[in-house]
Amino acid sequence: MRLTPTQIDHYHDAGFLCPLDGFSPAETERNRAAFAALHARFQRDGHDSYAINGYHTSCRSIYDMVMQPVILDAVGSLLGDNFIAWGTHFFCKVPHDPTSVVWHQDAPYWPHRSAR
């Protein structure tokens, strides 16, 4: 599903795009269950909820989420078809967690020359 010119313009103007139905309800439930199991393992091993970073290279369920064709098509509509998924980072906000992640732009935090 390639993005429409209107969706692309909105992304460039506003910096986000929604809704984007990347997963069916069944896929969403499967992803939630896989992520819950991964998160439980992280908590059991003493990691905080923000440490699920870069696991697309070692966790099949995260890799499968990243490689979802609808998502790849949307990204390809914005960047062209020559791109890589160089990183993943999940911010898992558990109930009563006092930590906050304020509104921000990701570009300054990552090693890229361009915010595109």
Side-chain angles (χ1 to χ4, degrees), residues 51-71:
I52 302 174
N53 187 1
Y55 274 75
H56 64 290
T57 62
S58 61
C59 180
R60 183 62 193 218
S61 62
I62 301 294
Y63 176 85
D64 289 344
M65 285 183 224
V66 171
M67 298 306 288
Q68 175 69 7
V70 172
I71 293 173

Side-chain angles (χ1 to χ4, degrees), residues 2 5 8 35 66 69 77 88:
R2 301 298 283 195
I8 293 169
F35 188 81
V66 171
S77 295
T88 55

Side-chain angles (χ1 to χ4, degrees), residues 33-103:
F35 188 81
L38 180 63
H39 183 250
R41 188 181 91 208
F42 265 69
Q43 288 184 309
R44 196 173 44 250
D45 292 346
H47 300 291
D48 73 28
S49 295
Y50 298 87
I52 302 174
N53 187 1
Y55 274 75
H56 64 290
T57 62
S58 61
C59 180
R60 183 62 193 218
S61 62
I62 301 294
Y63 176 85
D64 289 344
M65 285 183 224
V66 171
M67 298 306 288
Q68 175 69 7
V70 172
I71 293 173
L72 294 176
D73 285 346
V75 172
S77 295
L78 298 169
L79 299 179
D81 291 327
N82 188 18
F83 63 90
I84 61 169
W86 67 271
T88 55
H89 195 165
F90 291 84
F91 292 93
C92 187
K93 308 249 329 171
V94 297
H96 311 293
D97 180 350
T99 307
S100 66
V101 177
V102 299
W103 184 258

